[in-house]
Amino acid sequence: MLQQPGCHRLTRMGHGVFEKFVKIVAVGFGSGLSPLAPGTVGTLVGIPLFLLFATFSRPLYLLSVTALFFLAVFVSQEAEKLFRERDPSRVVIDEVVGFLVTMFLVAPTTAHILLGFLLFRLFDITKPFPIRACERRLPGGYGIVGDDVVAGVYANVVLQLIIALTGL
């Protein structure tokens, strides 16, 4: 099959745009490039996103987080290929999704955001059962993002309990 002049160049340009998109989203708009605690810095990107999502109805919040989950799975899997390493620490879109799961059904107060942030980081770093198993057993992007979603569920349950018991 003959290619028209310039077609190969357009394909490469499109591929370059795709790679840039994957890298920008995967590293949380640069937050994952932090030399210190990229996961923690990446989680901070979730805060303004949460403040936006908190204005949504509950079904729209859940739909938005679900869509972001699938985008994160795809982008994380592609980033592994681009960076040529398994679960690169600079990929932090998974922390953003995990934080948004943490904050589901939580009022956007400073205290709730701070506590949710701390709880999510605690569960994401310590990885109690079955979080580590999710990371290891789920394939590709699902493993990268899945452990953060489970950490987010754990953090959400604990956050909800603290709020209910203390009236915070």
Side-chain angles (χ1 to χ4, degrees):
M1 171 187 266
L2 293 174
Q3 287 188 340
Q4 294 179 11
C7 281
H8 182 65
R9 189 168 144 225
L10 284 175
T11 304
R12 283 193 323 223
M13 284 175 44
H15 187 68
V17 169
F18 172 76
E19 284 184 5
K20 285 179 184 174
F21 171 79
V22 166
K23 288 178 181 176
I24 288 169
V25 172
V27 300
F29 301 96
S31 61
L33 302 176
S34 170
L36 296 172
T40 299
V41 176
T43 304
L44 292 172
V45 173
I47 294 173
L49 206 50
F50 165 66
L51 293 172
L52 172 66
F53 284 18
T55 65
F56 298 171
S57 66
R58 288 177 178 178
L60 184 56
Y61 185 108
L62 196 55
L63 180 65
S64 299
V65 172
T66 301
L68 189 59
F69 166 81
F70 286 110
L71 175 65
V73 167
F74 174 75
V75 164
S76 297
Q77 190 159 319
E78 291 301 313
E80 275 190 324
K81 295 173 193 170
L82 291 173
F83 297 138
R84 294 186 173 120
E85 61 183 286
R86 190 177 180 317
D87 198 0
S89 61
R90 63 190 136 181
V91 172
V92 296
I93 188 67
D94 51 331
E95 272 81 14
V96 173
V97 173
F99 179 72
L100 292 171
V101 169
T102 297
M103 301 307 293
F104 183 57
L105 302 176
V106 176
T109 69
T110 302
H112 292 168
I113 292 169
L114 179 61
L115 190 53
F117 180 87
L118 293 172
L119 287 168
F120 172 69
R121 293 308 302 145
L122 174 72
F123 286 114
D124 188 36
I125 291 167
T126 61
K127 299 189 186 308
F129 182 80
I131 296 173
R132 192 165 308 280
C134 289
E135 184 178 47
R136 290 181 180 157
R137 292 188 179 157
L138 293 174
Y142 286 100
I144 294 171
V145 183
D147 71 309
D148 293 277
V149 169
V150 177
V153 169
Y154 278 25
N156 180 273
V157 168
V158 172
L159 181 58
Q160 296 282 357
L161 284 171
I162 290 170
I163 292 168
L165 293 173
T166 65
L168 182 67

